[in-house]
Amino acid sequence: MCGILGLILADTESGTAEASVDLHESLYYLQHRGQDACGIATCAAGGRIFQCKGNGMASKVFEDGKRVNDLPGYMGLAHLRYPTAGTSSSAESQPFYVNSPYGICFAHNGNLINAPALRGFLDKEAHRHINTDSDSELMLNIFANALNETGKARVNVDDIFSALSQTYQRCEGAWAATAMVAGFGILGFRDSHGIRPLVIGSRPSATLEGGIDYMLASESIALHQLGFRDIKDILPGQAVFIQKGQQPVYRQVAEMKSYSPDIFEYVYFARPDTIMDGISINTSRQNMGAKLAGKIREILGEEGIKEIDVIIPVPETSGTAAAVVSERLGKPLSNGFVKNRYVYRTFILPGQKARQKSVRRKLSAMESEFKDRVVCLVDDSIVRGTTSREIVSMAREAGARKVIFASCAPPITHPHIYGIDLATSSELIAHEKTRQDIAKHINADDVIYQDLDDLKAACSEASPGGKITDFEIGVFCGEYCTKVPDGYFEHLNESRGKTRGTGTLAANSGPVQVPQREDISLHNFATNGGNP
């Protein structure tokens, strides 16, 4: 999972309007979507591209804003990467850039599930060199190759959309992306199922009377905080191109196969002050709390409910749901865990020891809220169980008499294949385990999960007019929106195992999934014995 942005200002001539200032600011609003690496690429007069990117959070990479002065230009892209399995490489930080054709920059959120086939096509037919193990670089080069086939010195908007349609025909998986063609304009597009999010907004130009600035982002909060309004979702299979000095042009570049946003965005990933596909994240989480309270009552019965002394959320995504659970069950709510605001998300850290250590660093339990009490802990989800086990352990160390663990999400039993590197099937605690097995593993007295139908209803009921009723839910049931290539999961498990064991490069958007490839030199000596 990553955060992506694209911005084009109306004032392209004065030289006083700098897109990098707002792009840099927007990174902080989406920092929760990736703390591993980030970058900005801008385009200035004459189509010249400027870039600054690297490993680390926005404040580090841009030296608290000092590096922004090195990024002139009226349009640009920004990207935030979250860590996947293995060691992250600064070479894979985005936006990516290719000089041919036309100078294209690219920022991508998602995962391509047919990466080996794409790599083979680019090597053997398109003759384009791929320098990293990132599926994002593959997609950029697929698009660049399609655009190059026009054979034109300069392309038009129709050419952009035509090349993008060809890209959709070759790529499989889920994506939202922003791209920039040097000196021409900004492009945004979304996969045919709408799995990964993307929105666009507009605002009056601050430096050009009557001009309109346009911005694309993964979440609406980034646009809203920068004064953009008329915010709308890019639809599944839809693309938008904003040419310099022009209004946006929308095009359905691929068939809308479904409208199925990733439900994990609502459970965990997105900010509560975001509106995603018309659904308030905050409202969906309130609904999750209401339905979870019903499930807790069903499992424990009235006598079990009477035994609970306090509802305690696990900071901080579950706070909204826990407040509603408290209200519905008539039990006091206590913020018994204190969060260290300078430590970030733990489930995406590589290695169980790192995650375990980070939980203690991130949370501390107040003994006064736990001692001699029956506590019901509410969390957004249980993935590997490492974090949950440590949290239960902390509750018991603080004196809890009994610990009930309630999850806003159903059991996660399958890998996420669309850009969130949760774990392999064997690493998921709910894989082939009963609720009782899981409770024993994390040392809780009981574990209670949300029903999948209730989770879907919690989100769809927050959709104005019931517009969204379908979601990507493959992690809970193994039924994915797209067809999964034969052998994909076996290869995925093998790749993740290798990267976790050896520290090889990790893909920056989706998990590593490319096989060990042969050495490619100028004349392909590895395959033809040195004959040119």
Side-chain angles (χ1 to χ4, degrees):
M1 186 70 70
C2 301
I4 60 172
L5 298 134
L7 172 63
I8 184 164
L9 302 177
D11 186 357
T12 62
E13 302 297 337
S14 70
T16 59
E18 302 291 356
S20 59
V21 174
D22 282 338
L23 287 169
H24 172 252
E25 183 70 15
S26 66
L27 290 174
Y28 296 97
Y29 300 125
L30 297 185
Q31 187 74 81
H32 61 286
R33 298 189 70 86
Q35 296 108 42
D36 186 51
C38 64
I40 293 174
T42 60
C43 180
R48 186 171 180 184
I49 302 294
F50 295 82
Q51 284 188 327
C52 177
K53 59 180 184 175
N55 283 355
M57 297 177 66
S59 58
K60 174 189 174 183
V61 173
F62 292 96
E63 298 177 9
D64 294 319
K66 295 176 184 176
R67 297 295 305 277
V68 173
N69 294 329
D70 301 331
L71 299 168
Y74 56 88
M75 65 177 176
L77 309 180
H79 186 271
L80 293 141
R81 179 183 73 192
Y82 96 107
T84 55
T87 302
S88 299
S89 166
S90 59
E92 294 181 343
S93 56
Q94 295 188 40
F96 279 121
Y97 168 74
V98 290
N99 70 327
S100 176
Y102 317 118
I104 305 171
C105 292
F106 194 80
H108 171 242
N109 171 31
N111 183 46
L112 304 182
I113 59 177
N114 65 330
L118 296 177
R119 186 178 292 278
F121 165 77
L122 289 168
D123 175 28
K124 295 179 172 60
E125 297 184 45
H127 308 144
R128 297 186 72 92
H129 177 68
I130 303 302
N131 201 51
T132 71
D133 285 340
S134 169
D135 58 347
S136 305
E137 189 186 10
L138 295 177
M139 192 172 205
L140 166 58
N141 277 273
I142 292 291
F143 174 63
N145 181 69
L147 206 54
N148 190 55
E149 289 181 350
T150 65
K152 295 181 178 180
R154 297 288 184 270
V155 289
N156 57 37
V157 176
D158 288 337
D159 295 325
I160 296 288
F161 288 138
S162 177
L164 196 53
S165 292
Q166 295 176 53
T167 302
Y168 275 62
Q169 291 169 19
R170 287 197 179 276
C171 296
E172 299 174 10
W175 58 80
T178 54
M180 178 171 65
V181 182
F184 191 28
I186 294 287
L187 174 68
F189 55 95
R190 194 176 180 191
D191 67 78
S192 296
H193 295 275
I195 298 171
R196 300 268 62 86
L198 187 64
V199 292
I200 184 172
S202 61
R203 71 178 181 193
S205 170
T207 57
L208 181 65
E209 186 175 354
I212 302 293
D213 302 332
Y214 296 97
M215 191 170 190
L216 293 146
S218 296
E219 295 187 29
S220 62
I221 184 61
L223 305 185
H224 191 273
Q225 291 297 92
L226 291 172
F228 287 84
R229 298 297 182 265
D230 191 25
I231 298 172
K232 63 183 75 173
D233 295 282
I234 301 300
L235 298 175
Q238 188 181 56
V240 58
F241 188 79
I242 309 111
Q243 186 176 344
K244 179 175 67 172
Q246 303 293 320
Q247 294 182 349
V249 177
Y250 296 86
R251 188 73 55 85
Q252 195 71 30
V253 295
E255 175 192 0
M256 182 192 293
K257 296 179 180 178
S258 69
Y259 202 157
S260 309
D262 188 346
I263 208 164
F264 215 74
E265 290 276 4
Y266 303 95
V267 170
Y268 174 78
F269 223 86
R271 279 177 51 147
D273 46 2
T274 278
I275 307 294
M276 189 171 285
D277 290 303
I279 299 173
S280 162
I281 301 297
N282 187 64
T283 301
S284 70
R285 290 175 184 168
Q286 289 175 331
N287 293 347
M288 290 176 206
K291 295 183 185 300
L292 182 59
K295 189 65 179 180
I296 293 172
R297 191 178 297 278
E298 176 189 328
I299 295 292
L300 298 182
E302 292 304 320
E303 290 303 313
I305 298 298
K306 288 179 183 178
E307 191 182 13
I308 296 173
D309 293 308
V310 65
I311 307 295
I312 298 180
V314 177
E316 61 188 339
T317 313
S318 62
T320 303
V324 178
V325 170
S326 167
E327 178 186 340
R328 292 296 178 97
L329 297 183
K331 297 294 178 179
L333 178 73
S334 172
N335 292 312
F337 287 109
V338 178
K339 181 185 177 184
N340 181 346
R341 68 183 64 185
Y342 303 105
V343 177
Y344 297 92
R345 293 179 156 179
T346 58
F347 93 90
I348 53 180
L349 293 177
Q352 291 215 13
K353 288 186 178 179
R355 285 189 292 273
Q356 190 172 0
K357 183 177 181 180
S358 185
V359 172
R360 296 269 176 173
R361 190 183 301 150
K362 184 173 80 167
L363 299 177
S364 60
M366 291 190 287
E367 187 173 316
S368 61
E369 304 305 301
F370 289 88
K371 189 171 178 60
D372 298 325
R373 285 177 152 184
V374 174
V375 300
C376 177
L377 304 182
V378 177
D379 205 352
D380 51 76
S381 58
I382 306 173
V383 183
R384 300 174 183 88
T386 309
T387 298
S388 302
R389 183 180 177 86
E390 197 67 20
I391 287 169
V392 172
S393 177
M394 292 167 65
R396 293 199 183 280
E397 290 169 13
R401 182 160 53 90
K402 187 175 181 180
V403 180
I404 300 162
F405 203 103
S407 168
C408 293
I412 298 173
T413 55
H414 292 75
H416 196 291
I417 66 172
Y418 298 124
I420 304 177
D421 186 25
L422 294 179
T424 62
S425 294
S426 61
E427 293 173 319
L428 295 168
I429 190 173
H431 184 68
E432 297 183 347
K433 288 187 179 69
T434 66
R435 189 167 60 85
Q436 292 73 25
D437 291 337
I438 295 165
K440 183 178 181 180
H441 182 84
I442 68 172
N443 197 28
D445 294 279
D446 205 347
V447 168
I448 300 171
Y449 281 104
Q450 184 92 267
D451 285 337
L452 180 55
D453 286 343
D454 282 345
L455 176 60
K456 292 169 64 177
C459 297
S460 62
E461 288 169 10
S463 176
K467 177 183 175 183
I468 306 296
T469 59
D470 193 20
F471 298 90
E472 163 49 43
I473 55 172
V475 292
F476 304 118
C477 61
E479 297 176 7
Y480 299 96
C481 282
T482 64
K483 182 181 178 181
V484 181
D486 292 339
Y488 176 80
F489 291 112
E490 292 78 5
H491 180 63
L492 189 62
N493 291 345
E494 181 182 350
S495 297
R496 281 172 168 163
K498 286 180 179 178
T499 53
R500 284 176 179 145
T502 64
T504 54
L505 292 180
N508 60 338
S509 207
V512 174
Q513 52 171 303
V514 292
Q516 184 66 36
R517 52 195 168 101
E518 59 195 351
D519 180 34
I520 301 174
S521 61
L522 182 60
H523 297 295
N524 230 0
F525 289 131
T527 57
N528 61 18
N531 297 317

